[in-house]
C-alpha cells in the first residue's frame, strides 16, 4: 500500500493516528511464530492456554508492537522516520477477536533541523480497554 | 510483614552482566515472512524497483523486523546464569529506539544485558519478579542500529 506523505505542518496535538484494525486467528499466531521464532503455545494452542487459566489463546505482545509500528509507518508516509516506539502489555487480547491500534499526536517540535512528533499510541480490545498503552516518536518532513 | 526477597546474591551479581549475544543475517525471505504475518504490503520492504527509486535506494527492512530477531537463539531467560525462582514469564513490554535502517544482507549482532531485577507484590499473582533487559543491535559495519529495553514479568 502506498501511503500518502504526511508533513510536519499538517499535524498538531490531538491529530488522530489510525485506527488500524487487525483480525486475529490461530493462523495469524502460527505465522508470527514462524516469522519470529517464538513458539510459545499460549498463542496458538487453545488447550494449553486454558490449562494456564486463560479463556483462550492470547495474541503475542511483540506482534502487537509490530501492528503499532505499521500504523505509525502508514500514517507517516515514506518520508517519515520512526525513532522510538514503546508499549506496555497490560491486558490480554484474545485470539479470534479483532484488535484496534490507535494513536494521537501529543507534541511537535523542531530540534537540530529535525521535526519531531511525539505520539500516544495504544492497542485496544473489542471492549475498548487499552491493553497495550504506549508512545512513539517520529520525524516528519516539512514542506518548507 | 517482613518477607525474604526472592533475589539471591547470585542473582544480584548478574545485574549488569551480558546474558547472551547472537548474530542473525537479515534476508528477504525473513522480511517476506514478517510482512505476511503482520499483514503489511509496503513496497519499500519488498519491491526492489520501487525501493530503488526512493530515498532509501533499495529495499529496507520494516523497523519491526528487529522484534522477530531477538527470539532467534531462544528467549533471554533461557540464558540467565541462575535458576529463576518463579517459572512463569510474560512479556510486560518494551521500549525501542531506532537509529539506522536495516537492509537484506545485513548481519545484526545483538547483545542482551540484564539491566535490572525488580521484585514487586502484585494483587493478582502475589510476588512478581521483573527482569529488565537492555538489548543492543549493531550491524556488520559496527553501526548502532537499535536499542531495546525489554521487561519480562515472572510470577
Amino acid at each position: 500500500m502506498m501511503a500518502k506523505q504526511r508533513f510536519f505542518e499538517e499535524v498538531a496535538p490531538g491529530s488522530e493516528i489510525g485506527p488500524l484494525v487487525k483480525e486475529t486467528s490461530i493462523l495469524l499466531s502460527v505465522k508470527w511464530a514462524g516469522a519470529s521464532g517464538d513458539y510459545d503455545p499460549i498463542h496458538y494452542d487453545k488447550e494449553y492456554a486454558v490449562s494456564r487459566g486463560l479463556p483462550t489463546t492470547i495474541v503475542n505482545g511483540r506482534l502487537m508492537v509490530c501492528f503499532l509500528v505499521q500504523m505509525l509507518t502508514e500514517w507517516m508516509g515514506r518520508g517519515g522516520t520512526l525513532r522510538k516506539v514503546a508499549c506496555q502489555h497490560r491486558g490480554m487480547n484474545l485470539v479470534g477477536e479483532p484488535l484496534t491500534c490507535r494513536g494521537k499526536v501529543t507534541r511537535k517540535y523542531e530540534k537540530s533541523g529535525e521535526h519531531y512528533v511525539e505520539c500516544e499510541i495504544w492497542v485496544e480490545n473489542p471492549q475498548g480497554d487499552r491493553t497495550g498503552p504506549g508512545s512513539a516518536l517520529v520525524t516528519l518532513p516539512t514542506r518548507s | 510483614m517482613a518477607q525474604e526477597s526472592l533475589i539471591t546474591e547470585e542473582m544480584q551479581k548478574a545485574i549488569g552482566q551480558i546474558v547472551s549475544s547472537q548474530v542473525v543475517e537479515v534476508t528477504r525471505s525473513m522480511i517476506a515472512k514478517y510482512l505476511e504475518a503482520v499483514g503489511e504490503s509496503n513496497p519499500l520492504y519488498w519491491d526492489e524497483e520501487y525501493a530503488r527509486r526512493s530515498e532509501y535506494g533499495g529495499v529496507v527492512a520494516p523497523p519491526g523486523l528487529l522484534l522477530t530477531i531477538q527470539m532467534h537463539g531462544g528467549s533471554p531467560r533461557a540464558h540467565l546464569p541462575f535458576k529463576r525462582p518463579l517459572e512463569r514469564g510474560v512479556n510486560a513490554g518494551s521500549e525501542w529506539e531506532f537509529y539506522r535502517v536495516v537492509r537484506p544482507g545485513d548481519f545484526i549482532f545483538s547483545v542482551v544485558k540484564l539491566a535490572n531485577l525488580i521484585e514487586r507484590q502484585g494483587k493478582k499473582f502475589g510476588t512478581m519478579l521483573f527482569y529488565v533487559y537492555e538489548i543492543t543491535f549493531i550491524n556488520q559495519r559496527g553501526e548502532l542500529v537499535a536499542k531495546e529495553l525489554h521487561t519480562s514479568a515472572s510470577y
Side-chain angles (χ1 to χ4, degrees):
Chain A
M1 177 212 289
M2 318 266 268
K4 114 178 169 70
Q5 184 55 56
R6 202 166 303 271
F7 289 90
F8 184 73
E9 290 77 8
E10 291 165 19
V11 308
S15 296
E16 248 184 52
I17 303 166
L20 177 66
V21 181
K22 290 285 182 179
E23 297 297 330
T24 68
S25 62
I26 299 285
L27 177 57
L28 169 67
S29 289
V30 167
K31 285 183 181 180
W32 176 257
S36 68
D38 180 359
Y39 292 99
D40 191 337
I42 211 154
H43 307 300
Y44 56 81
D45 184 335
K46 191 171 169 179
E47 261 178 45
Y48 174 79
V50 168
S51 78
R52 287 280 303 267
L54 299 174
T56 187
T57 46
I58 57 173
V59 181
N60 182 291
R62 265 180 227 95
L63 173 57
M64 291 198 282
V65 178
C66 292
F67 289 149
L68 288 169
V69 168
Q70 178 183 3
M71 177 184 75
L72 288 161
T73 52
E74 286 179 359
W75 177 79
M76 290 190 299
R78 209 177 71 195
T81 304
L82 180 65
R83 302 296 178 124
K84 294 188 189 185
V85 72
C87 183
Q88 284 184 31
H89 305 303
R90 291 276 178 86
M92 299 179 305
N93 285 82
L94 304 182
V95 171
E97 290 183 354
L99 60 85
T100 304
C101 299
R102 293 186 197 275
K104 61 177 193 263
V105 172
T106 53
R107 193 162 87 100
K108 72 175 194 181
Y109 56 92
E110 195 236 307
K111 185 178 162 188
S112 313
E114 297 271 18
H115 296 79
Y116 294 89
V117 180
E118 281 179 17
C119 316
E120 187 192 353
I121 56 175
W122 64 92
V123 178
E124 264 174 34
N125 65 16
Q127 290 70 48
D129 306 317
R130 293 193 186 188
T131 52
S135 61
L137 180 68
V138 312
T139 49
L140 290 180
T142 61
R143 288 195 192 282
S144 54
Chain B
M1 174 171 61
Q3 206 172 336
E4 207 177 287
S5 170
L6 283 174
I7 302 175
T8 63
E9 205 179 303
E10 185 192 17
M11 289 165 73
Q12 195 69 344
K13 272 197 228 154
I15 298 173
Q17 301 301 314
I18 288 171
V19 167
S20 67
S21 64
Q22 55 162 338
V23 184
V24 174
E25 182 184 2
V26 175
T27 64
R28 287 173 200 271
S29 156
M30 193 188 273
I31 293 172
K33 285 211 183 91
Y34 174 94
L35 296 178
E36 190 179 345
V38 177
E40 278 209 75
S41 55
N42 189 334
L44 200 57
Y45 306 142
W46 59 268
D47 187 338
E48 196 59 53
E49 268 292 309
Y50 171 88
R52 207 175 340 195
R53 291 196 308 267
S54 80
E55 54 273 39
Y56 290 97
V59 162
V60 295
L65 191 78
L66 292 177
L67 277 94
T68 65
I69 280 175
Q70 51 174 197
M71 288 303 281
H72 288 247
S75 131
R77 66 171 178 257
H79 301 275
L80 288 167
F82 54 79
K83 186 175 187 305
R84 291 176 309 127
L86 301 168
E87 268 306 303
R88 302 253 156 102
V90 66
N91 179 355
S94 54
E95 295 171 28
W96 289 84
E97 288 174 23
F98 300 105
Y99 297 95
R100 279 185 177 77
V101 288
V102 172
R103 297 175 191 270
D106 279 353
F107 285 81
I108 304 297
F109 299 79
S110 58
V111 177
V112 182
K113 181 171 94 172
L114 178 64
N116 211 349
L117 265 177
I118 302 165
E119 191 169 350
R120 283 226 181 99
Q121 295 304 316
K123 280 173 283 193
K124 209 159 138 196
F125 298 109
T127 307
M128 295 182 74
L129 265 181
F130 292 85
Y131 295 81
V132 183
Y133 300 101
E134 265 174 31
I135 306 164
T136 307
F137 299 85
I138 296 170
N139 67 22
Q140 69 278 13
R141 289 179 293 276
E143 297 165 332
L144 179 62
V145 169
K147 287 206 286 208
E148 183 201 359
L149 198 67
H150 179 97
T151 305
S152 176
S154 73
Y155 58 96

